[in-house]
Amino acid sequence: MIKAIVFDFDGLIVDTESAWFDCYAEVLGGYDIPFPTEVFAACVGSHGGQIEAYIRQMAEGRTDISEVRKAAAKLHAVKMETVTLRDGVAEYIESAQRLGLKVGLASSSDRAWVESFLRRFGLLDSFEVIKTKDDVANVKPDPELYLKAIQALGIEAHEALAFEDSANGAAAAKAAGLWCVIVPNPVTEQLAFGNVDGRLRSMSDRPLEDVIGELQASLLP
């Protein structure tokens, strides 16, 4: 029986990720450097090591990576001023609370970043547990964030349903033993997600009750 919902943050609750891709693509385009979606998507939900390695290689002799970071961050900050919640997110959180489910969050981003958005949208108090990269040694796709989240929620892994937008996040949730439904964003929708338990275009597509009911029905003999 599902007793808790654990949400990812970037790309799932707020689509910060598509904005990051657009910003890096714009900055690198100014130096005639291509920025393939697959380079960015491979790091979504985890750390950006592959992105940095790509930029260092491609930008050598044209610009410094620190300048690329600064320019992209400046553009991203402007985009974040008008960013909104992804469709259906608020409704899913409300539904989880109405159903008496525990609600947690597991993010590879730092706590200050995550909480700044949750405060803006009035959602900070909606989460009983928030685990970020500040709480673990290893971020997704390592399962540590999800293991810490379910431990803090006081439940078993099979009693929790994770919602993720990235392959790294989905891998972490499944490795930790959670159910996982993916809700990709424009950057991650072409990724291969492997073994997951469901897929939604957005949370506005189906009520949370239906998603949970279908998963629990699959357990019946």
Side-chain angles (χ1 to χ4, degrees), residues 37-61:
T37 306
E38 56 267 27
V39 171
F40 182 81
C43 296
V44 171
S46 185
H47 53 76
Q50 186 173 328
I51 296 172
E52 292 212 352
Y54 174 83
I55 295 173
R56 287 184 191 280
Q57 178 184 4
M58 299 297 291
E60 187 175 3

Side-chain angles (χ1 to χ4, degrees), residues 2-124:
I2 291 174
K3 298 180 180 179
I5 305 296
V6 184
F7 293 87
D8 175 47
F9 178 70
D10 286 286
L12 181 85
I13 291 179
V14 176
D15 190 7
T16 59
E17 290 168 348
S18 294
W20 273 121
F21 173 76
D22 291 343
C23 292
Y24 272 104
E26 182 176 338
V27 172
L28 291 172
Y31 297 99
D32 294 322
I33 298 172
F35 191 50
T37 306
E38 56 267 27
V39 171
F40 182 81
C43 296
V44 171
S46 185
H47 53 76
Q50 186 173 328
I51 296 172
E52 292 212 352
Y54 174 83
I55 295 173
R56 287 184 191 280
Q57 178 184 4
M58 299 297 291
E60 187 175 3
R62 301 194 227 184
T63 185
D64 185 83
I65 190 171
S66 63
E67 294 303 314
V68 173
R69 280 202 214 100
K70 289 176 186 177
K74 186 175 180 179
L75 287 174
H76 193 265
V78 173
K79 289 180 180 290
M80 290 302 98
E81 291 175 2
T82 56
V83 75
T84 59
L85 295 175
R86 285 190 67 188
D87 289 347
V89 168
E91 289 78 8
Y92 264 41
I93 293 172
E94 291 169 6
S95 294
Q97 294 171 331
R98 175 170 46 78
L99 294 169
L101 302 174
K102 297 183 177 183
V103 182
L105 187 149
S107 172
S108 292
S109 293
D110 63 69
R111 182 173 296 272
W113 170 262
V114 172
E115 291 191 353
S116 68
F117 285 97
L118 297 181
R119 287 192 186 92
R120 185 199 302 187
F121 294 112
L123 294 176
L124 185 59

